[in-house]
C-alpha cells in the first residue's frame, strides 16, 4: 500500500480506486511505475519500483503543479525493512 493523502489523516479517499501502471525498461531491469492524479488536491503521486534478486528499490514522488502548499504524509508499506537515504 502506497498512500498519499494531503490534508487527510488516514487513507486517501481513492485508496481502492484503479491507478495507472506501466513497465519501463532500464539498464538494471524493468521498473514498475504506479501513479494517479489526486482529484482532491490537484497533485500526482508516483512510485517507481525495481526488483533485484530479493531486494525491492522504491522511489516515491509527489508532483504539485499548483502554487498552494500541500501538507500531508506519505504512508508506505509497513511490513518490510527499509533504509532511507537522501537523493544526490
Amino acid at each position: 500500500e502506497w498512500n498519499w493523502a494531503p490534508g487527510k489523516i488516514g487513507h486517501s479517499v481513492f485508496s481502492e480506486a484503479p491507478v495507472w501502471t506501466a513497465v519501463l525498461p532500464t539498464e538494471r531491469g524493468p521498473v514498475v511505475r504506479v501513479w494517479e492524479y489526486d482529484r482532491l488536491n490537484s497533485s500526482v503521486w508516483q512510485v517507481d519500483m525495481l526488483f533485484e534478486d530479493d531486494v525491492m528499490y522504491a522511489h516515491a514522488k509527489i508532483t504539485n503543479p499548483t502554487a498552494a502548499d500541500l501538507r500531508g504524509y506519505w504512508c508506505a508499506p509497513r511490513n518490510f525493512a527499509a533504509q532511507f537515504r537522501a537523493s544526490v
Side-chain angles (χ1 to χ4, degrees):
E1 173 183 64
W2 301 90
N3 206 355
W4 165 242
K8 309 284 184 232
I9 295 178
H11 292 86
S12 165
V13 297
F14 303 114
S15 286
E16 294 184 17
V19 297
W20 296 97
T21 60
V23 177
L24 310 172
T26 72
E27 292 178 6
R28 293 178 64 180
V31 169
V32 176
R33 175 170 288 171
V34 180
W35 76 97
E36 184 56 87
Y37 175 72
D38 184 324
R39 297 181 298 278
L40 291 179
N41 298 288
S42 300
S43 62
V44 176
W45 62 265
Q46 168 185 320
V47 180
D48 292 342
M49 294 165 280
L50 172 68
F51 301 89
E52 288 184 334
D53 299 320
D54 60 349
V55 177
M56 178 183 87
Y57 299 94
H59 179 261
K61 177 180 174 181
I62 304 295
T63 303
N64 177 11
T66 71
D69 286 339
L70 289 179
R71 295 184 181 195
Y73 70 96
W74 185 258
C75 179
R78 295 183 193 145
N79 296 324
F80 70 90
Q83 179 178 354
F84 298 98
R85 62 185 167 144
S87 297
V88 193

